[in-house]
Amino acid sequence: MANVTLPKSRREVKPKASSDDWTMRAFMLMIGTYLVVALAFPLYAMLSKSFEDKDGVFIGLDNYINYFSTPALFNSIENSVFISVVTMVITVTLAFFYAYALTRSCMRFKGFFKIMAMVPILVPSLLPGIGLIYMFGKQGYLNWMLFGYEIYGPLGIVIAEVFFTFPHALLIIMTALAISDGRLYEAATVLRASKWKIFWTVTLPGARYGLISAAFVVFTLVITDFGVPKVIGGQYNVLAVDIYKQVIGQQNFSMGAVVSVVLMIPAIFAFYVDRQVQKKQVAQLSARAVPYEPKPNFRFDTLMMSYSSIVVLIIVTILATCQFAALVKFWPYNLDIGLQHYNFDLMDGGGWDAYYNSIKMALWTAAVGTIVVFTGAYMVEKGRGFDQGRTLFQFLAMMPMAVPGMVLGLSYIFFFNNPDNPFNFIYGTMAILVVSTVTHFYTVAHLTAMTALKQMDKEFESVSQSLQQPFYKMFLRVTVPVCTPAVLEIAIYLFVNAMTTVSAVVFIYATHTQLASVAVLNMDDAGDIAPAAAMGMMIFYTNAIARVLHMFVAKALEKRTQAWRQR
């Protein structure tokens, strides 16, 4: 048969963009512009400031040369990396065995242990430092356990950071262990492999990407954290505290910008590695995988329950110590119970107004942030065409996770405090606190929304278009109700973080917009440690109540919006 040369296929004709497509692109452009103004421009202003002197004159790399030639400042890099690595190893190890207990044993009260392990998320990072001071400080009731060592410095920082980062690592490792293929364990059992052999050849390799991801998340959280080292670090300098000292203590904004740039380098590196690891983690999933179901083993289950109980006891002890210290009159000499430390209006920290401001800011952050984040994610995931614009938007949405809160807050000073900036009017208002907080926690909320939206078949949009229905009706009547659990999760995530955040707002609050988390810092600086503990516990109780309300609202709405899942 003679060879026949087929004609080249014609170039595929792209469908003409509809009015809905242009409207969705306009919305995406608006939210993308928000991210540029709230993130990219401030970071550029901060980077530019690092090349200028105190008078704003360009001096090139002189600031960087001065920084790296000053031992006291340069040593902060070594200290920060050391603390982060040590905390990373300890936290991931403890979280792995806790997650192992929850996923590989048949111990009782798993729900209780999981809830208690998440408690540290509800408190500001300053609070565990305060609790450790009351426990192991010079007048602490467990001071004898340190055998002459001081809690102030690297020891205290590491212990408090482990408390602070434990739930973050636990969530990641639990997810990694939960997706393990049960068929591998069945095969290993059939081959008569010992339990240790199965652990080293099946369990650990299967969870390796989760462990690596958890390690880098913990590393990033610790190296960028400001609250813990500020409260309990003593004379042990780290990068985040150096930024605070340069800006607040010495009013040296240029050097503060330099330290911010230095701090961003390990944070960006850790973020990049974490993203690559997460991509590989997804690739390990198989459609034929069988979930692993643990079998009862009295000795093993008892061991796992004992370990989990010890971890929960430590968490509860630190929080209970803070609460007790907030109630006694004068630690440790007068242990009579009273509420005098809750009279915040007599303290140097903004009074009860600071607490009410935090609730107001958290509510605005949850409301505005949820709308902005979910709408932006919808436009990216469900929009058609405009591939380059969607890719750029996705990049902007990922950026906030790699930017430490201290860096973002300092960047806002340089950008929004400029009189020539048309957005200068929001500086010193509640609005800039909301913008800063939404931007700081944008990435995780965006990923949550994208995950929920990816579960919806694109045929929904196709049917809507065939019926000539505008996209906003589809969005409001179908997408939002179906994704209600994710929407509520985004809202509570933003609320809780808005209540606890310190680093992203410590530079940009005004006298009339002082927040509870900042009040904890200021009262601790003034020596009012008991009132600081009291305010920290108020933040914890507020977040706990918000979590409970979120649970009830989610269950109530689930009956109305998720009934289709039961069919």
Side-chain angles (χ1 to χ4, degrees):
M1 182 176 179
N3 293 331
V4 179
T5 304
L6 297 176
K8 294 182 179 180
S9 60
R10 295 181 179 179
R11 182 177 299 177
E12 183 180 353
V13 179
K14 295 182 179 180
K16 184 178 180 180
S18 64
S19 58
D20 276 356
D21 292 333
W22 285 111
T23 304
M24 293 177 72
R25 294 174 189 178
F27 272 106
M28 186 168 61
L29 182 62
M30 289 171 56
I31 300 175
T33 302
Y34 159 80
L35 288 173
V36 170
V37 173
L39 183 65
F41 285 171
L43 289 179
Y44 175 77
M46 185 270 296
L47 182 62
S48 301
K49 188 67 177 179
S50 69
F51 296 104
E52 300 173 354
D53 62 12
K54 294 182 178 180
D55 298 323
V57 179
F58 179 80
I59 57 174
L61 296 175
D62 287 358
N63 286 328
Y64 289 90
I65 295 173
N66 183 31
Y67 174 80
F68 287 104
S69 61
T70 305
L73 293 175
F74 183 71
N75 287 342
S76 296
I77 300 177
E78 181 181 348
N79 292 343
S80 294
V81 173
F82 172 76
I83 290 294
S84 300
V85 171
V86 172
T87 303
M88 176 185 71
V89 173
I90 296 175
T91 303
V92 172
T93 302
L94 294 176
F96 173 78
F97 287 109
Y98 200 96
Y100 194 81
L102 292 175
T103 59
R104 294 293 188 270
S105 75
C106 293
M107 69 178 190
R108 301 176 62 187
F109 311 118
K110 284 187 179 181
F112 168 78
F113 284 113
K114 185 176 179 180
I115 291 174
M116 293 305 299
M118 295 298 110
V119 165
I121 291 180
L122 306 180
V123 304
S125 61
L126 303 111
L127 196 60
I130 294 174
L132 291 178
I133 291 175
Y134 278 106
M135 293 170 65
F136 301 102
K138 294 180 180 179
Q139 296 178 330
Y141 63 90
L142 295 179
N143 177 269
W144 55 271
M145 294 182 64
L146 296 183
F147 301 104
Y149 291 95
E150 285 195 355
I151 195 67
Y152 301 97
L155 178 61
I157 296 176
V158 169
I159 297 175
E161 292 289 11
V162 169
F163 175 93
F164 175 61
T165 58
F166 180 81
H168 300 275
L170 178 64
L171 287 173
I172 298 172
I173 297 174
M174 279 184 60
T175 302
L177 290 174
I179 63 175
S180 297
D181 193 345
R183 296 174 303 169
L184 298 176
Y185 291 88
E186 292 176 3
T189 303
V190 170
L191 293 174
R192 297 182 179 180
S194 65
K195 293 182 179 179
W196 276 108
K197 186 77 171 179
I198 295 175
F199 178 80
W200 288 104
T201 60
V202 179
T203 303
L204 280 182
R208 64 186 182 276
Y209 292 120
L211 290 170
I212 296 172
S213 181
F216 280 103
V217 167
V218 171
F219 180 89
T220 303
L221 288 172
V222 175
I223 203 169
T224 59
D225 182 49
F226 164 72
V228 168
K230 180 66 178 66
V231 170
I232 203 171
Q235 301 300 316
Y236 194 81
N237 293 330
V238 295
L239 288 170
V241 177
D242 275 354
I243 298 175
Y244 182 80
K245 289 180 178 178
Q246 291 294 329
V247 174
I248 301 299
Q250 302 181 27
Q251 296 292 301
N252 191 344
F253 291 92
S254 297
M255 189 57 69
V258 171
V259 182
S260 298
V261 173
V262 174
L263 180 59
M264 284 188 65
I265 295 174
I268 292 175
F269 173 75
F271 169 75
Y272 172 77
V273 174
D274 177 52
R275 297 306 303 168
Q276 297 303 312
V277 168
Q278 288 188 20
K279 290 179 182 178
K280 292 184 178 181
Q281 173 71 50
V282 175
Q284 297 298 307
L285 297 178
S286 170
R288 294 176 294 177
V290 176
Y292 174 80
E293 295 183 2
K295 297 179 180 179
N297 184 315
F298 178 77
R299 187 171 63 177
F300 176 72
D301 294 342
T302 303
L303 179 64
M304 290 295 96
M305 189 171 183
S306 299
Y307 170 75
S308 302
S309 299
I310 293 173
V311 173
V312 170
L313 179 62
I314 294 173
I315 294 174
V316 171
T317 300
I318 292 177
L319 290 180
T321 299
C322 291
Q323 181 58 80
F324 182 68
L327 292 174
V328 299
K329 288 188 176 181
F330 188 59
W331 180 285
Y333 305 106
N334 187 347
L335 300 183
D336 292 340
I337 301 299
L339 298 175
Q340 67 278 359
H341 296 310
Y342 285 88
N343 194 356
F344 299 127
D345 292 331
L346 300 180
M347 310 297 174
D348 183 17
W352 277 101
D353 287 342
Y355 173 72
Y356 299 136
N357 284 339
S358 276
I359 295 179
K360 185 188 304 183
M361 193 268 282
L363 289 172
W364 275 108
T365 298
V368 175
T370 301
I371 294 173
V372 170
V373 170
F374 192 80
T375 303
Y378 178 82
M379 301 307 165
V380 171
E381 177 62 23
K382 301 300 182 181
R384 298 189 307 171
F386 199 44
D387 293 340
Q388 293 180 343
R390 291 160 65 189
T391 301
L392 178 60
F393 184 95
Q394 191 74 356
F395 171 76
L396 289 171
M398 292 295 104
M399 279 182 62
M401 184 172 282
V403 180
M406 296 291 292
V407 176
L408 186 65
L410 184 59
S411 300
Y412 274 38
I413 295 179
F414 299 141
F415 182 69
F416 288 102
N417 197 30
N418 186 346
D420 297 329
N421 188 332
F423 299 102
N424 173 258
F425 66 93
I426 73 169
Y427 193 80
T429 67
M430 182 65 72
I432 195 172
L433 299 177
V434 174
V435 170
S436 172
T437 307
V438 170
T439 304
H440 184 40
F441 300 105
Y442 192 98
T443 302
V444 173
H446 175 78
L447 291 174
T448 303
M450 290 290 288
T451 301
L453 290 168
K454 285 181 183 295
Q455 294 177 354
M456 292 187 63
D457 198 319
K458 291 190 176 182
E459 291 299 321
F460 284 104
E461 280 70 28
S462 300
V463 172
S464 177
Q465 291 172 0
S466 66
L467 295 175
Q468 297 183 347
Q469 294 295 313
F471 81 93
Y472 61 84
K473 287 188 177 181
M474 170 70 187
F475 177 75
L476 295 175
R477 296 180 179 179
V478 179
T479 305
V480 173
V482 170
C483 296
T484 295
V487 172
L488 292 176
E489 195 60 39
I490 292 171
I492 192 62
Y493 168 80
L494 292 174
F495 181 91
V496 169
N497 281 282
M499 287 294 299
T500 59
T501 186
V502 180
S503 58
V505 296
V506 70
F507 290 141
I508 54 177
Y509 72 91
T511 304
H512 62 285
T513 60
Q514 194 166 30
L515 303 175
S517 56
V518 178
V520 176
L521 173 65
N522 291 337
M523 286 188 285
D524 179 75
D525 275 345
D528 297 325
I529 304 180
M535 182 66 84
M537 292 305 297
M538 289 299 301
I539 295 174
F540 166 67
Y541 292 135
T542 303
N543 282 336
I545 293 172
R547 270 291 181 185
V548 173
L549 291 176
H550 164 264
M551 181 180 65
F552 283 114
V553 171
K555 285 186 177 181
L557 291 179
E558 185 176 351
K559 294 180 180 178
R560 299 180 57 183
T561 63
Q562 307 298 305
W564 60 276
R565 295 182 184 270
Q566 308 301 324
R567 295 177 183 176

